Amino acid sequence: MKRKWMAYILCFALLLPGFSLAAAAEDVLYIVTEPTGAKVYSYASADAPLVTAAKVRTILSSDKSDGNFLHVTYDGFSGWVDAGDVALYGVSLRLTRIEVTRLPDKTRYYEDEPFLADGMVVTAYYSDGTSSPVGGYSLMVPDMYSLGEKTVTVSYQGKTTSFTIDVVRIPIDHIEISTPPTSTTVIEDTDAPVFDGLELTVYYTDGRAPTKTTEYSIQGYEPLLIGQQTILLSYKYEDITVPLTIEVVPKKLVDLQVTTPPTKQVYYTDDMNIDLSGLVLTAYYDNGKSEPVQPESAAFSPSYIMNSDTEIEVTYGGRKASYTVRLNRAEPVGISVTPPLTTDCLLNAEPDLGGLVVYLEYNSGNREGITDYTIDPIDTSTFGVKTVNVYYESYSASFEIQVVSDGIRGDIDKDGHITTADARTALRFAVSLETLSDEQQWLADMNGDGTATTADARRILRAAIGLDWES
């Protein structure tokens, strides 16, 4: 009888434009009419393995047919149903919204309980005004590990709706230490003490049997307070606690390491002062922590050898660490000169070497003043710059002096005044009409470039008439 009734429906469906059993249009919807539901097979045969089953009044979407079977998608599955178990529901209907028309059996949870959707009914509403309960929806379950009202979001074919549940405290009455820890000794400055072997018993107010746990939180712990102190252990909630007496003992230094060596890596025998600039020395303790520390002492290792790598040992808290440096013998590499205070010398006069200092330079960068050096004879019989050579053993250096006149530049005739006659003499020399002695040439060289030129003659003339000759 059911198949005969279904045949009438299919005949009516064939009258619809664009519909055929052999190749149904997309989005053709069917509703399950069989009270026991519709079986979904893996292929178009009642002997095929079952994929899933759809309840009565479930709406299925079909895109094609094969004999008496329709290809459908349902609840995330794809398979075939007997056409006699369904009726034509509509073509190209649009889903407008969904609602949770029946809340789950459980909407109040204790903290940490898993969410259950048992008993929940989700109804889909379509553009033709019809509706039907649906499966195959998805849920976005909220955090169940914190207290308060939570929102559960339901999604189906692009539509969403939501409802709320409550997450409340576990009904704990009190807790007790059922198994004490193997040790209650804690090392100073331990961030989170762990008490091995500690077990708590949790008692409830709703009549359920007590449970045991090794989970706990610590309150009132003072990590830097040496000696005996009482802390509070809690489980789940800070207001439900049990006391535990512990003993905080001083931390111990277990290792010392040079984590960054100093900047100075080369030493010489003329400067054995240890420079610790840049050193990072790290102390490690039995509480698992470390900290940078300042060394209490630093010294070269007793067995150092010249011109080789050696160790510098640093100490702190009774422990030692070391780093490698290069130790070289300090040796002379040359001499250097600080020139005399006065580097000008009159013609044929003895140079004044007051202030002259000669240094012996070492490969370490240090130097020392020496006096047993020698100097080449200095020729002051001619004007100009003279190079003076200084010698010590196999090393040499030099400095310069300048032989000058006791007159003033521009006063060529040395009458004590710069006059136009001096300018005329300079000009005649510049154009090769007159010769001058070395001293006169020096006096005529106003800018000190070593040559008397027409430009120098012009400068002498400006000076003679009271103008700024340097401009």
Side-chain angles (χ1 to χ4, degrees), residues 148-171:
E149 187 177 82
K150 311 286 184 175
T151 299
V152 180
T153 301
V154 184
S155 300
Y156 177 75
Q157 294 186 3
K159 303 295 181 181
T160 61
T161 187
S162 63
F163 62 93
T164 60
I165 60 174
D166 290 319
V167 179
V168 299
R169 282 176 56 134
I170 299 172

Side-chain angles (χ1 to χ4, degrees), residues 173-373:
D173 180 69
H174 70 282
I175 59 175
E176 295 178 357
I177 297 177
S178 51
T179 304
T182 55
S183 174
T184 56
T185 299
V186 178
I187 300 172
E188 172 195 6
D189 201 21
T190 298
D191 289 334
V194 176
F195 299 104
D196 294 334
L198 175 66
E199 187 176 66
L200 301 177
T201 298
V202 185
Y203 296 87
Y204 303 91
T205 60
D206 60 355
R208 74 175 77 178
T211 59
K212 295 185 181 297
T213 181
T214 56
E215 297 180 15
Y216 56 86
S217 299
I218 298 175
Q219 301 176 41
Y221 166 59
E222 297 291 343
L224 302 180
L225 180 60
I226 304 297
Q228 194 174 82
Q229 56 178 278
T230 299
I231 62 174
L232 297 177
L233 305 179
S234 61
Y235 173 72
K236 294 294 184 185
Y237 312 113
E238 291 186 353
D239 57 339
I240 301 177
T241 62
V242 62
L244 175 67
T245 300
I246 63 173
E247 184 78 18
V248 179
V249 297
K251 63 184 179 183
K252 294 180 181 179
L253 180 64
V254 295
D255 193 16
L256 187 68
Q257 293 182 14
V258 175
T259 47
T260 303
T263 304
K264 186 173 181 178
Q265 295 289 301
V266 179
Y267 284 83
Y268 293 87
T269 50
D270 64 346
D271 182 11
M272 297 289 283
N273 295 318
I274 296 175
D275 185 352
L276 297 179
S277 301
L279 170 70
V280 178
L281 184 63
T282 303
Y284 296 85
Y285 298 93
D286 59 352
N287 62 358
K289 290 188 175 183
S290 63
E291 63 178 353
V293 295
Q294 293 298 319
E296 297 168 349
S297 66
F300 283 92
S301 60
S303 59
Y304 62 83
I305 302 174
M306 292 297 139
N307 299 323
S308 65
D309 290 341
T310 189
E311 299 292 315
I312 292 181
E313 294 180 342
V314 291
T315 60
Y316 176 82
R319 290 190 173 268
K320 293 183 178 181
S322 64
Y323 60 93
T324 302
V325 296
R326 181 74 178 180
L327 182 59
N328 293 331
R329 188 181 304 279
E331 297 175 345
V333 293
I335 61 172
S336 62
V337 174
T338 298
L341 297 177
T342 301
T343 56
D344 285 346
C345 177
L346 295 179
L347 186 69
N348 295 315
E350 186 72 23
D352 182 2
L353 299 182
L356 172 66
V357 182
V358 180
Y359 295 98
L360 181 61
E361 302 285 346
Y362 288 87
N363 56 357
S364 61
N366 292 329
R367 64 182 183 175
E368 63 176 332
I370 56 176
T371 56
D372 52 342
Y373 54 84

